[in-house]
Amino acid sequence: LRPNERISQPMERVYESIANRYRSIGTPQLILVILRDKTADNYRQVKMSSDVRLGVPSQCVVSTNAGIGRRLQRPRDQYIANVALKVNAKLGGVNSVIANSESQRFEDHPEKALSWLAENFDRKPFMCMGIDVTHSVVKSENARSIAAVVGSMNRFARNILI
């Protein structure tokens, strides 16, 4: 970063440069940001810039948690696994499904996930919902919690639009 520069400024410059250079193959699908530490301000700037200004999902990775930067530092496996799940979901992947009663492997028959519900979807549609709350890491009287609710009426509950 340049002196007095916010993290969102170089991030947006790099995004525009990449988007222009590789325009023929499409726009970037994800912005991966490696942070020295996860301060609330840096995280907020990244998310505001990617989600609101650029319209592209982003994933922040804290370098020390991922084992990036120091030669002897070992990555935390659970941290890396959680980041991989988030990236997969943000790119439209499926992290988990409910197996049907016939115990068929999802890899062999993804169309049969939730088949016990999906068979009658046209007659009896259903909605899968998810709810989450995140609390501020800053301990103060002005600290806020954010709640979110999402739902999907996709037959196999694979696509969630927010």
Side-chain angles (χ1 to χ4, degrees), residues 137-157:
V137 294
V138 179
K139 306 286 185 206
S140 77
E141 291 180 19
N142 297 330
R144 296 182 180 162
S145 295
I146 300 171
V149 178
V150 296
S152 174
M153 287 197 60
N154 177 277
R155 161 174 296 216
F156 301 111

Side-chain angles (χ1 to χ4, degrees), residues 55-74:
V56 178
S58 62
Q59 180 60 51
C60 292
V61 175
V62 179
S63 62
T64 54
N65 293 346
I68 299 171
R70 295 205 174 114
R71 182 173 280 178
L72 299 175
Q73 192 169 21
R74 187 170 170 240

